[in-house]
Amino acid sequence: MNTLSTLLTSSGVVKQFGEIRAVDGVNLSLKRGDIVGLVGGNGAGKTTMLRLLCGLYRPTEGGISFHSKSGENRPIHEIREKLGVVPESTGLYHRLTAWENIRYHSRLHGIDDDVAWNRTLRFANALSISDELHRHTRGFSRGMRQKTALLRALVHGPEILLLDEPTAGLDVTSARMVRELVRKLRDEGGTVIYSTHHLAEAQMVCDRIIIMHNGQIRCDGTPDELMAETNTGNLEDAYVALTSDVARTDSIEEKEGKMARIWRTLLTPSRHNKEVAEDE
Amino acid sequence: MSNFALRLRRVRTIAWKELVDFVRDWRTLVAVIVIPLLIFPLLFFALPKILQMEAEERQANVLDIIIQGDSPDQDLFTLFDESLLNYSSESLPNGLDGDLSQPMGDDERLRNMEVSAILRLQHNQTNGTWNYAILRDSTQELSGEAFSRILEDLKLWESNLTNETLVANGLDPEDTLNPIRWSGDSDNADVASDAEQAGWALSLFIPMIVAMWTASSAIQPSIDMTAGERERGTMEAVLCLPVKRFDLLAGKWLAVATISGTGVILQVVGLLFAVQFITSSNSFLQMPALSTSAFLLLLAAVLLFTVMVVAFELALAVRSRSVKEAGSVLGPMIILIIFPALFAQFINLEGIEGFWFAIPVVNILLAMRELLTDRVISGHVLIWFGSSLVYALLAAWYASKQFNREDLVESIS
């Protein structure tokens, strides 16, 4: 197995929303078998980067390419069948059972139900969720939903797994199960991109950590390399040193149309006006 | 599996999942199955039944009335007795000056319901005629009932007086009052068959139902499958799959069209059942007599209309990031269907100009009206089919454009 070959490259990727550069000139190279942690605060650009990596967003500048084992390069949005994605919201249908949720995605991947079921059972046992597969997900805890979404993302045997806060809301035991599963996937040659707020989490599970801040990559390396680069004794200090400049406050998620903006402005008393009125 | 077959399978998978997800909500079943099926039977059976019960209850009341002025002959008193009117007599108030309709202080008695109505009568001694006025409070049901009974009895009394006068003058009342008469059964003179009449009668209802129910029943599933998915965050996971956005739209369109189509069919069945019950015809469903071409064109008209409306609603709903936002856009949009649909009902189909068949929504309504009366006019068919096809394609193109938006992945939550 060619576990060290390059799988994904991002060259000068920029993603701009209006005036805001959510991702600003990101160069990245991922190898097969890597577990890469994408770490950053709110508004750092992690979610946008993940969406670029799974082809949901097209870069404003630059490009992201997938390199097949045969040496062929293809844009990322053309190889979605090789991706498994667990979004932060998990994206489960509450009126369907866990298995129906998984089967829906497997069918859209063109996988036979029998094959999908066998794969699901294998991973469900590892996550201790096999007894819950025929339950509606409406009553599921956050942890159960995360596990179901993880099973759903793995059902078609993806080459790259993109996880957005995969252990958020999970109890200690469940979070450990997820981390063990991720390592197991890596051992089998899979590549995992693991977005998280928590440095400790990233340190436990990732071979390599990418720190993002204000849409840019501030550092990319193993935990030891990050600490060495910043002359700090632990990852937290390294992170603070790398992201010490002021974080931007503009939210890229709050885009709105012209009419909506004019209407909101008209109906929202500005602080300035309020102060003038109070002075009068 | 070929690429096309795989895409078809995906469309089917999406549609099936949407239907299962939608139908598992019991409120949806009530909205899609129970309400359309019951709305017309309830309207046609229950409402008249309730009205009839209310009328019977009203008619069973003995109502107090006052007769002011000259006393009529015994015939009218007999009629009042039979009509359960309990009467007492008074003289006319002073100062009426020939105008019996002036309340002159009697209005309070009516307002307080001391009496239900007051009949004022004045006999003209010179020519033997009677002048009358009935005082009543039109906002009181019992007063209205008394007014109706008095009026009915006065008509019968008048008819008796007329007949007596004619007979006294040696004239036959029937020949004198009804010199021009219909010969035979008027129904036999209508050359339209029962089925044609059914088609004409249904053409007044069915196009409206199809238009309004297609538009209104598609709103909720359209919102749930687009803005709802965005709000719940399920859309992002689906967009990461190797599914073309157009296939996603097609799957969702198929599901919404199935839901609203089921609603329309059930509503039409409910209507036919109700109409059948009222007309008490022998066959269970009185179907209009349609030629095969008219029937097929009718199906094509409904299909094109559904493509257009559902695609348009999906396109508008998917632009919204929340259910609330989508509801406030699509709710008022129903007016765009209701107004033209109402308007189209009043357009005279005889000698109608061709351009009417090119106006969106109106064209399909008129086409359905024409086809339900089994009139296949090739010029009209060409215009409505061509224009509807263009509108349906435009709506599908617009929807597909909206489904390709990059911000579809974003959610308010």
Side-chain angles (χ1 to χ4, degrees), chain A residues 15 51 56-58 80 85 89 91-93 95-96 100 104-105 107-109 136 152 253 255, chain B residues 9-10 13-14 17 21 24-25 224 229 233-234 236-242 321 406 409-410:
Chain A
K15 184 62 188 174
R51 286 174 177 172
L56 285 176
Y57 285 154
R58 299 284 177 95
R80 291 223 178 98
V85 183
S89 61
L92 295 181
Y93 297 99
R95 289 192 285 264
L96 301 186
E100 283 169 337
Y104 177 52
H105 277 228
R107 283 181 176 174
L108 291 176
H109 274 289
H136 282 180
R152 189 187 60 189
E253 303 294 341
K255 294 198 301 292
Chain B
R9 189 179 150 179
R10 282 175 178 155
T13 300
I14 292 164
K17 179 252 132 196
D21 191 23
R24 280 193 184 161
D25 183 359
D224 188 61
E229 283 224 30
T234 49
E236 183 175 356
V238 174
L239 294 176
C240 292
L241 298 172
R321 286 188 299 174
E406 204 171 49
V409 72
E410 288 163 17

